[in-house]
Amino acid sequence: MHMFPRIIVSDPDHASAFYKDTLGAEEVFRAPPLDDGRPSVIDHRVGDSSLRISPAVSEWGWLAPGDIGGSPVLLEVEVDDPDGIGERMSARGAEVIVPIENRPYGKRSGRIRDPFGHLWIITGDLR
């Protein structure tokens, strides 16, 4: 079995650039554009994982966090340098919700809302 999380955003190209810059995502597939010019999906490889990005299309039930008053999903990524990832995300418009710090459960982690409204737990080894 394979799972392919797909996040919905208003501007897939902007989101793709953000995740490339902040998470080191590599674009591996881009579907032909919809009538409005936005790609229907951009597939990325992030380490050993996949992250797909699609545009909000209300007729299809594809709604971005801003369309529903926030994100009901937490995306968790374990990285070698959570502080560096958090700083890059913040520098590119993300909001720190919970600072990245050493936690009592043995990880260094925090929570960030990206510029598209998606919530991320950024975690890694204690420092």
Side-chain angles (χ1 to χ4, degrees):
M1 176 188 319
H2 297 282
M3 293 183 68
F4 300 96
R6 184 182 301 213
I7 60 173
I8 306 301
V9 299
S10 60
D11 185 343
D13 288 315
H14 184 214
S16 177
F18 177 84
Y19 298 124
K20 287 176 189 177
D21 289 345
T22 60
L23 297 176
E26 174 190 357
E27 185 177 315
V28 294
F29 174 78
R30 176 180 288 259
L34 301 172
D35 290 342
D36 64 7
R38 298 178 303 167
S40 60
V41 66
I42 306 172
D43 193 5
H44 297 83
R45 173 78 31 216
V46 185
D48 294 338
S49 301
S50 177
L51 176 66
R52 293 180 175 171
I53 301 169
S54 287
V57 181
S58 60
E59 305 84 58
W60 298 352
W62 291 8
L63 303 174
D67 298 331
I68 59 171
S71 176
V73 175
L74 280 168
L75 299 159
E76 186 168 349
V77 60
E78 188 166 339
V79 297
D80 292 334
D81 181 14
D83 295 275
I85 297 288
E87 289 167 10
R88 283 197 298 276
M89 290 178 112
S90 294
R92 288 166 179 81
E95 175 188 3
V96 175
I97 303 299
V98 175
I100 295 171
E101 299 174 339
N102 289 341
R103 303 290 171 188
Y105 47 82
K107 289 289 186 178
R108 184 164 184 81
S109 67
R111 285 179 220 104
I112 292 180
R113 179 178 294 116
D114 70 24
F116 319 101
H118 292 282
L119 295 169
W120 293 81
I121 296 175
I122 310 298
T123 191
D125 291 334
L126 295 173
R127 129 180 129 159

